[in-house]
Amino acid sequence: MEVRTRFAPSPTGYMHLGNLRSALYTYLFAKANGGKFILRIEDTDQARFVPGAVDVIYRTLKSIGMQWDEGPDIGGDYGPYVQSERKNMYLPYAEQLVKAGKAYYCFCTEEELAARREEAAKRGETFKYDKHCLHLSPEEVQRRIAAGEPYVIRQNVPEHGEASFDDVLYGHIAVDCADLDDMILIKADGMPTYNFANVIDDHTMGITHVMRGNEYLSSTPKYNLLYDAFGWKKPVYIHMTPIMRDATHKLSKRDGDAYFEDYLNKGYLKEAIVNYVALLGWNPGDEREFFTMDELIKAFSVDGMSKSPAIFDVNKLTWMNAEYVRRLTPEQFTAYALPYYEKAGVSAEHADLLARILQQRTEVFTQIPEMLDFIPRLPDYDVELFTNKKSKTNPEIAKHVLEIAIAALDALPAWEEQPIHDTLLGLAEKEGMKNGTMLWPVRIALAGKQVTPGGAIEIAILLGREESMRRLKVGLEKLS
Ligand code: GLU
């Protein structure tokens, strides 16, 4: 049997990390088993439709290399793959259930239902549809339909007994039928409800394994009653644990840090995000932590999926991202860093040098403008910065250092790393100073701060001759 899985997002917003992980595990499961990964857009709930959300889904899946085998844009043998384009497919299935006594027409109006709901509330009960219309005679049903009365079609849930299913991760899940509502399958406008369309689509698309968030765990017994009513083979169910913000709260859309694209904007690499998300709820059974998509496909198995929720730890993600940044080639690093150089107001003229001083210390790319903040503008600094025990400097020594450095650098024919390096270190040797005693004051004068990526020489190159000489003189003036 060929494995067929699907990712079935509702286009109601941006791509949440939880959705991303559902998609990822579904994809990995299909690929690890030589099967098909199908993309289906579940847009029955037009009121919640967010324009642009479908594009975000396409863009996200594509950008991380999760290409679907069948889907809205590429078609396939089971199309269409957008529920709104399948809208005429569902009614005949509901009618089939009516004929079998597993569903029925319901003419109760909103007002009638509201009144009954209110009565139930008065009695302190939760309202459950009371099967009022189940008992209408076939003749009356036909007459009312013919008269053009609006109706819905409801599932006829048995009054007693149990509805259940077996989940690969959660085991046997059973609910008492008495607790289940006769849910609406077809709405008054002829459109299917989300619950009904989901079941019909999974069956008619030949889905063998349904993988999705555990918020559907409690609805699945109800779905299975429909499979039974049709006499269809049920898919294998694998419900996934949620991603948590902390021990008691789900990572929710309201947290403001739950979306894939937010992390891209925060300077994380998509490969690192995917790698990290893959490990939130799955482990390879060994110590490995770094995976490409191909490696994930090879390593993935349901046995490694966790039954307890994973807590999202942004520090761990940041650590992992830093590892990914370090593994980039300098050229790749530059490609990612360019927009941040621009934001920092730093020219990319010395991109190789920038990569050399930044790559090892960049955890996320958004840190770059702050690391380079001293380049476009010399910060206002205090002469106390010239004091450094380890480098054996203080303002007095610094004054001397800057004097001789200015004279020597001024005389340099070319403003390049090697001659600047040789000049400064030559001066240190001549003066019988530690290199640090020479370089510290120069770096402070050039950068106006103590912590900088790169040292005095690299900073001098980034600033250029003119600006470097100006800043050295500013430093000397401060010390005079
Ligand atoms: N459309 C549902 C959602 O976006 C997914 C339901 C399913 O996978 O069965 O939450």
Side-chain angles (χ1 to χ4, degrees):
M1 177 193 68
E2 183 186 51
V3 165
R4 290 174 59 83
T5 68
R6 87 297 194 278
F7 176 49
S10 305
T12 52
Y14 290 99
M15 184 76 111
H16 187 268
L17 289 182
N19 286 129
L20 177 72
R21 196 193 54 173
S22 297
L24 179 64
Y25 288 176
T26 307
Y27 173 79
L28 293 175
F29 182 79
K31 296 297 134 183
N33 290 286
K36 293 269 176 355
F37 173 63
I38 291 128
L39 176 62
R40 176 171 82 225
I41 301 295
E42 300 206 321
D43 61 348
T44 45
D45 193 351
Q46 292 287 336
R48 289 177 61 219
F49 185 84
V50 173
V54 174
D55 290 332
V56 174
I57 294 165
Y58 289 169
R59 190 165 68 223
T60 306
L61 297 184
K62 279 197 177 134
S63 78
I64 57 188
M66 283 169 23
Q67 180 56 53
W68 47 99
D69 300 296
E70 298 166 26
D73 54 338
I74 55 171
D77 293 342
Y78 300 80
Y81 292 87
V82 180
Q83 281 182 335
S84 58
E85 292 170 24
R86 298 168 74 81
K87 59 176 185 260
N88 297 326
M89 288 180 49
Y90 305 105
L91 184 60
Y93 284 107
E95 288 167 344
Q96 187 183 330
L97 289 180
V98 172
K99 282 203 189 88
K102 306 290 187 183
Y104 58 93
Y105 294 96
C106 169
F107 300 91
C108 293
T109 63
E110 272 309 319
E111 294 73 33
E112 288 165 343
L113 291 172
R116 266 135 69 192
R117 202 170 284 128
E118 208 170 296
E119 273 169 36
K122 269 191 213 144
R123 290 195 302 271
E125 294 166 9
T126 38
F127 179 71
K128 189 180 122 176
Y129 184 69
D130 53 7
K131 291 187 184 283
H132 177 270
C133 290
L134 175 63
H135 309 294
L136 301 178
S137 69
E139 296 72 31
E140 181 172 359
V141 168
Q142 281 320 311
R143 182 180 56 72
R144 292 172 77 167
I145 293 176
E149 250 188 74
Y151 64 83
V152 300
I153 298 180
R154 287 183 186 272
Q155 180 177 10
N156 182 15
V157 175
E159 286 186 66
H160 308 288
E162 215 179 63
S164 67
F165 77 102
D166 290 298
D167 185 85
V168 172
L169 280 187
Y170 286 86
H172 190 68
I173 304 285
V175 297
D176 201 341
C177 286
D179 294 335
L180 295 178
D181 201 9
D182 279 359
M183 66 174 177
I184 295 177
L185 306 178
I186 299 288
K187 296 182 274 193
D189 61 3
M191 291 293 281
T193 53
Y194 163 73
N195 291 308
F196 190 53
N198 182 272
V199 169
I200 301 299
D201 288 345
D202 280 343
H203 173 73
T204 55
M205 291 183 174
I207 301 302
T208 59
H209 293 74
V210 167
M211 297 174 75
R212 62 181 165 211
N214 72 351
E215 62 270 29
Y216 293 96
L217 211 50
S218 59
S219 316
T220 304
K222 212 154 56 174
Y223 298 163
N224 267 357
L225 289 177
L226 293 173
Y227 277 93
D228 287 338
F230 283 115
W232 290 341
K233 185 173 177 330
K234 291 163 204 156
V236 174
Y237 290 103
I238 306 167
H239 285 87
M240 297 178 265
T241 57
I243 299 178
M244 306 293 285
R245 167 158 60 86
D246 54 40
T248 46
H249 300 94
K250 272 207 218 186
L251 186 68
S252 90
K253 306 187 177 172
R254 264 157 291 147
D255 289 341
D257 53 4
Y259 294 103
F260 175 67
E261 297 206 340
D262 284 347
Y263 284 93
L264 296 182
N265 294 334
K266 286 182 195 170
Y268 290 85
L269 294 169
K270 56 181 192 272
E271 293 82 1
I273 305 171
V274 171
N275 192 153
Y276 177 65
V277 164
L279 295 170
L280 279 175
W282 168 80
N283 76 76
D286 54 36
E287 296 299 302
R288 276 180 300 166
E289 282 190 297
F290 290 90
F291 293 89
T292 62
M293 191 60 95
D294 283 342
E295 288 163 350
L296 283 175
I297 291 172
K298 288 206 186 80
F300 189 81
S301 102
V302 173
D303 300 338
M305 284 173 74
S306 167
K307 293 180 183 60
S308 46
I311 296 183
F312 179 80
D313 177 357
V314 74
N315 295 324
K316 178 87 202 270
L317 169 61
T318 303
W319 167 82
M320 184 161 261
N321 199 68
E323 284 296 317
Y324 270 84
V325 172
R326 267 177 227 137
R327 293 170 190 202
L328 297 172
T329 64
E331 293 71 29
Q332 288 169 326
F333 178 85
T334 297
Y336 286 113
L338 274 180
Y340 299 96
Y341 295 159
E342 203 177 306
K343 215 173 256 167
V346 171
S347 137
E349 185 192 344
H350 300 289
D352 294 348
L353 172 56
L354 285 168
R356 176 148 48 86
I357 63 173
L358 291 173
Q359 189 166 357
Q360 295 306 314
R361 54 170 67 211
T362 301
E363 295 177 302
V364 289
F365 285 92
T366 40
Q367 292 167 336
I368 288 179
E370 202 190 321
M371 291 197 277
L372 298 180
D373 60 359
F374 61 94
I375 302 237
R377 200 185 61 85
L378 177 65
D380 197 14
Y381 66 95
D382 195 274
V383 288
E384 265 320 302
L385 291 197
F386 286 109
T387 303
N388 183 282
K389 258 209 187 116
K390 208 171 129 236
S391 302
K392 294 197 178 0
T393 69
N394 58 36
E396 200 185 317
I397 297 172
K399 181 165 177 267
H400 174 63
V401 162
L402 290 187
E403 271 166 1
I404 58 175
I406 288 170
L409 291 175
D410 225 1
L412 268 184
W415 198 255
E416 286 159 11
E417 273 187 89
Q418 199 58 50
I420 297 175
H421 170 272
D422 294 349
T423 303
L424 293 177
L425 269 59
L427 281 178
E429 200 185 338
K430 213 163 84 193
E431 297 276 325
M433 285 175 177
K434 283 175 71 164
N435 288 345
T437 315
M438 188 72 215
L439 295 173
W440 179 271
V442 173
R443 191 162 63 87
I444 294 297
L446 291 177
K449 62 194 280 196
Q450 284 181 319
V451 181
T452 57
I457 298 153
E458 286 101 353
I459 296 172
I461 295 296
L462 293 175
L463 292 174
R465 176 171 217 141
E466 205 179 312
E467 179 64 9
S468 296
M469 294 311 293
R470 186 188 75 78
R471 290 187 184 192
L472 291 173
K473 286 172 193 160
V474 170
L476 183 56
E477 227 161 78
K478 272 183 189 280
L479 290 163
S480 300

